[in-house]
Amino acid sequence: MISLSHLRKFKEQGRKISCLTCYDASMAKAMELAEIDSILIGDSLGMTIQGHDSTLPVTVADMAYHTSAVRRANQHSFIMTDLPFMSYATLNDALSNARTVMQAGAQMVKMEGGEWLSEIVQVLTRNGIPVCIHLGLTPQSVHVFGGYKLQAKTREAADQLIADCKAVVEAGAALLLLECVPAQLGKEIAELFPNVPVIGIGAGVETDGQVLVVQDMLGLTFGKVARFVRNFMKEQAGETAIMDAFKAYHVAVQDQSFPAPEHSFQVEL
Ligand code: KIV
């Protein structure tokens, strides 16, 4: 089973990390067979599984339910689970809810935020719970951003995001996830932290790994598809098509043919 130490080693070796969202046992098994490095039980399940128009209605019980289904079917991939909207607003909530998803089978919890989460990161880490911090476009704050848009487009905003990364890493964050930021910023942040893998989604090819929502990369997203998505199912045929799409994604992340420039945001900072 892939552990946090493996992910750190992959970064040290320059071997890119493949990550996909997953919410159920059959997909989790297919990802195990395709040797996907890491699985995110994302609160995107509010949209992809539950049919809501945001991640806000998702509960801790939902996250635990899907985490246990994925863990039972997949003994290979590193599993991280989102703490959903308002489930880490206080230290006590963060501790108790992180415990619930870790006991369901997660190896790490993910929270959206920045410097203001430092104390929570420190306490969770001290209690044996590895933490990933999601920065850039953070979907739980969609109503603050006023939509799903590119973040950190100016040098000033990029420097603020870097300061947030430094604060949470200093507090003990073991992984960073950057969403929808200029490719140059993805590279700068990955280079800044030699011991902390940086996973990107719409953050360019030079982060230490990539994550996609599984429905997006299988072509199951109806309506507007984000710029950073590639449909890996289009190139497949036959009864193993879904597993082959996962394998093709894993290979494309490794050889850095994904994300291509057309999946990234090129902004000079
Ligand atoms: O919830 C989720 O699926 C995520 C990804 C978009 C990174 O956070």
Side-chain angles (χ1 to χ4, degrees), residues 59-108:
T59 65
V60 174
D62 294 335
M63 299 310 300
Y65 172 84
H66 290 281
T67 299
S68 58
V70 168
R71 179 79 291 168
R72 279 194 285 271
N74 183 314
Q75 296 304 311
H76 169 74
S77 312
F78 180 82
I79 289 188
M80 63 179 149
T81 296
D82 266 329
L83 290 186
F85 181 62
M86 291 300 289
S87 68
Y88 47 97
T90 68
L91 193 49
N92 280 347
D93 284 352
L95 268 169
S96 139
N97 294 325
R99 178 174 77 175
T100 303
V101 299
M102 293 295 287
Q103 287 180 337
Q107 290 162 277
M108 168 175 266

Side-chain angles (χ1 to χ4, degrees), residues 21 40 42-44 82 110 134 177 179 201 211 213:
T21 70
L40 169 65
D43 60 357
S44 52
D82 266 329
K110 174 164 87 59
H134 182 158
L177 191 150
E179 177 164 358
I201 173 164
V211 58
V213 170

Side-chain angles (χ1 to χ4, degrees), residues 112-122 133-135 160-171:
E112 298 183 3
E115 183 273 329
W116 62 95
L117 289 176
S118 295
E119 190 194 358
I120 294 180
V121 172
Q122 206 169 48
I133 296 293
H134 182 158
L135 304 104
Q160 178 56 58
L161 200 141
I162 289 173
D164 281 326
C165 290
K166 284 184 178 161
V168 294
V169 167
E170 208 164 292

Side-chain angles (χ1 to χ4, degrees), residues 20-23 40-46 48 55 63 82 110 112 134 137 139-140 177-179 199-201 211-214 216 228:
L20 286 171
T21 70
C22 184
Y23 322 98
L40 169 65
I41 292 89
D43 60 357
S44 52
L45 68 84
T48 56
T55 61
M63 299 310 300
D82 266 329
K110 174 164 87 59
E112 298 183 3
H134 182 158
L137 174 58
Q140 291 172 15
L177 191 150
L178 299 178
E179 177 164 358
I199 309 285
I201 173 164
V211 58
L212 280 179
V213 170
V214 66
D216 286 347
F228 51 73

Side-chain angles (χ1 to χ4, degrees), residues 143-160:
H143 296 306
V144 176
F145 296 136
Y148 299 96
K149 301 173 193 164
L150 180 66
Q151 301 298 307
K153 285 183 285 194
T154 62
R155 188 67 253 173
E156 196 187 355
D159 286 342
Q160 178 56 58

